[in-house]
Amino acid sequence: MSPAPVSRKLEGYEFFRQTLRSPRHVMAPMVDQSEQAWRILGRRYGTHVCYTPMFHAKLFSDPAQGHKYRAEQWSTDENDRPLVVQFCANDPEILLRAAKLVENDCDAVDLNLGCPQHIAKRGHYGSYLQDEWELIRKMVSLLHAELAVPVTVKIRVFESVEKTVEYAKMIEAAGAQMLTVHGRLREQKGHNTGLADWDKIKAVKEAVSIPVLANGNILYYEDVQRCMDYTGVDGVMSAEGSLYNPAIFAQRDMPPCTWEMAQEYLEICRDLCPTRSGIIKAHLFKLFHCSLPHHTDLRARLGKATTFDELWGITMDLKERLEQDRERIGEQELNGQADEAGIRKYGHWRCQPYFRPKLPPPTEKSKKEKKAEAMKRKQEEVSETATSEAPADAVIEPAAKKLKEEQACESNATAAAVTEPAAESVSETISTEQATN
């Protein structure tokens, strides 16, 4: 009896068309934010393919503790398809070990080369592998050779178009079957996020023969087609856009009301896919980012909430108030008309993009700079006194001790200021930049 034939692993556009079904709308991998419940919501509103959150390959596959990490972070079912599982890693064998654990429950495994956050720098992964081409080549080629599903890669761009294209072609040659290009530099994050460079994405698309997804500058539904027309890409990935409006991929006259999306998401978490309250809270803060400034008492309650029932109750209270706001204010002048910057005007009860506030202009000298100058002057005074008025031991040691004490106080005060913000602010600003890569 002859053995059963082994199915051929699809590659490139065969994989894109037959397995992924030629997706135009793709939900990005987002740490603690593209979990299964959020993926269910996104698929209801036009998302064609979803990525999991970025998983840490070493933690995911650890022989001793990995089962705990997987139980907390990873869930899926037969309806959660097409699905791409993303890992960060810096070791080919560890990456393969993690990928083998999910290859039968997904349609592809993605390597994260885009995370720009400091935690990625410390852990030596994400965009901080951008200059280690041989390591990247080994990781991609090993997955390509050993996995039952295709390997895909998500990258950021370099300063030059030429290096960006060379980078993309190297990854394609290593065995990647699809490429997502986030059109921002590694340094573009937080208040320095700026605009994504569609020209570099276009250059990559023209240079490679595998499918390319574009990531960046998607604020409204119409931006999807605009991006595809400009860059020629095969599909568009949304990260922040889908967090603030889960229906960003649905063509509609007006975006949904914030409470509508929140209520539907909570019902999914309650009835279909139990989700940790911390993850739910982070989603609610993003959905309600325009609504809560008008109802700050509910913002404070949301910051302190720890249970599903509390989160549900706050959402229902906010729903009642927002319906009253809409009835009182109306939408005649808040119907999506764009201002001079292209930002559409909607009522605070509707889902809409988040725009980072501009940083204040720099002052002449910050408090930190003034403190440093004062310390330097004291050190100079100590030195002068020591050489002209007294024995060195009599002056320098007490003065140096005082300086160290002042520096320690300054350091402790700064640390306290950073680590003790209001509870609701901490929850609201769970970093989208960390979430998205």
Side-chain angles (χ1 to χ4, degrees):
M1 183 176 178
S2 60
V6 178
S7 60
R8 181 175 63 89
K9 181 167 67 174
L10 299 180
E11 299 181 354
Y13 276 98
E14 277 191 312
F15 156 69
F16 184 78
R17 293 172 182 137
Q18 296 182 38
T19 303
L20 299 186
R21 306 165 201 164
S22 299
R24 287 168 52 93
H25 307 150
V26 180
M27 179 186 291
M30 298 174 282
V31 175
D32 284 343
Q33 299 282 264
S34 58
E35 84 290 351
Q36 188 179 359
W38 194 255
R39 298 196 297 267
I40 293 172
L41 181 63
R43 292 184 196 278
R44 292 179 179 180
Y45 291 94
T47 297
H48 300 143
V49 169
C50 293
Y51 280 58
T52 66
M54 180 189 74
F55 299 138
H56 193 293
K58 187 173 183 179
L59 299 177
F60 194 93
S61 64
D62 182 76
Q65 301 295 326
H67 65 284
K68 296 179 182 178
Y69 181 90
R70 294 193 296 274
E72 183 179 82
Q73 301 285 337
W74 161 237
S75 67
T76 188
D77 59 33
E78 64 276 5
N79 298 314
D80 190 21
R81 307 295 279 270
L83 179 67
V84 180
V85 177
Q86 189 189 68
F87 290 103
C88 66
N90 55 28
D91 182 292
E93 293 297 335
I94 291 175
L95 174 59
L96 178 62
R97 186 176 71 197
K100 279 289 184 181
L101 294 172
V102 301
E103 66 178 341
N104 295 322
D105 296 307
C106 67
D107 298 291
V109 169
D110 188 79
L111 174 61
N112 179 311
L113 295 177
C115 183
Q117 300 308 312
H118 187 65
I119 191 171
K121 184 176 183 179
R122 291 204 315 268
H124 191 54
Y125 60 81
S127 65
Y128 294 94
L129 299 182
Q130 220 173 20
D131 298 313
E132 298 188 36
W133 291 20
E134 186 56 34
L135 173 58
I136 292 170
R137 185 181 291 109
K138 288 179 180 178
M139 290 194 289
V140 174
S141 62
L142 184 62
L143 293 194
H144 177 54
E146 298 294 334
L147 284 186
V149 295
V151 55
T152 67
V153 180
K154 187 171 188 287
I155 65 172
R156 284 193 171 224
V157 298
F158 286 92
E159 281 279 2
S160 76
V161 172
E162 294 77 15
K163 189 169 184 180
T164 300
V165 167
E166 186 183 358
Y167 184 50
K169 291 175 73 174
M170 178 274 293
I171 292 171
E172 178 188 23
Q177 301 305 313
M178 185 171 72
L179 199 60
T180 300
V181 184
H182 187 162
R184 292 185 173 92
L185 304 172
R186 181 170 60 199
E187 295 74 23
Q188 287 182 271
K189 56 188 175 181
H191 284 283
N192 297 319
T193 295
L195 291 175
D197 189 337
W198 283 1
D199 287 313
K200 289 175 182 172
I201 298 175
K202 180 180 180 180
V204 169
K205 171 58 185 171
E206 292 173 349
V208 300
S209 58
I210 56 176
V212 175
L213 304 178
N215 183 206
N217 301 351
I218 306 300
L219 300 178
Y220 306 106
Y221 173 82
E222 292 75 13
D223 292 331
V224 172
Q225 190 61 52
R226 191 166 62 88
C227 178
M228 294 182 71
D229 290 343
Y230 188 91
T231 62
V233 294
D234 302 284
V236 168
M237 177 181 282
S238 175
E240 281 194 349
S242 64
L243 288 177
Y244 294 101
N245 178 10
I248 191 171
F249 289 138
Q251 187 173 16
R252 37 193 302 160
D253 293 334
M254 296 276 277
C257 291
T258 57
W259 59 262
E260 290 176 326
M261 292 290 95
Q263 180 175 342
E264 187 169 358
Y265 171 63
L266 287 170
E267 289 169 348
I268 291 170
C269 295
R270 181 192 65 198
D271 302 334
L272 300 176
C273 192
T275 304
R276 302 198 311 273
S277 60
I279 291 176
I280 297 174
K281 182 195 290 192
H283 278 302
L284 294 182
F285 265 117
K286 289 181 174 64
L287 287 172
F288 290 140
H289 81 98
C290 283
S291 305
L292 290 172
H294 298 266
H295 300 282
T296 54
D297 60 318
L298 294 182
R299 173 176 172 162
R301 279 177 56 194
L302 181 57
K304 297 175 182 177
T306 58
T307 68
F308 179 88
D309 288 343
E310 288 176 308
L311 297 170
W312 177 269
I314 292 164
T315 298
M316 293 302 101
D317 289 347
L318 187 54
K319 170 184 176 179
E320 181 179 354
R321 295 193 196 180
L322 293 176
E323 288 180 317
Q324 294 172 355
D325 290 348
R326 181 171 62 174
E327 180 67 24
R328 175 173 51 85
I329 298 171
E331 296 188 300
Q332 186 173 354
E333 296 182 3
L334 298 171
N335 57 8
Q337 183 177 357
D339 62 15
E340 60 278 3
I343 300 173
R344 300 179 185 180
K345 297 179 181 178
Y346 295 111
H348 59 267
W349 48 87
R350 292 200 178 272
C351 293
Q352 47 198 292
Y354 171 71
F355 298 95
R356 290 176 179 80
K358 292 182 178 180
L359 290 173
T363 56
E364 282 189 22
K365 289 182 181 177
S366 66
K367 288 183 179 179
K368 187 175 181 180
E369 289 172 328
K370 291 178 180 178
K371 184 72 174 178
E373 288 183 358
M375 291 287 184
K376 184 177 180 180
R377 285 196 298 270
K378 287 183 179 181
Q379 289 172 336
E380 291 172 348
E381 290 171 2
V382 167
S383 178
E384 290 173 358
T385 304
T387 56
S388 60
E389 297 181 3
D393 291 344
V395 176
I396 294 177
E397 289 182 5
K401 181 178 179 182
K402 184 181 179 185
L403 282 172
K404 288 180 180 179
E405 290 173 350
E406 290 180 0
Q407 289 168 340
C409 291
E410 174 74 9
S411 176
N412 292 337
T414 302
V418 171
T419 56
E420 297 177 7
E424 61 268 25
S425 297
V426 172
S427 299
E428 181 181 12
T429 58
I430 292 174
S431 174
T432 304
E433 290 75 44
Q434 181 179 349
T436 62
N437 46 62

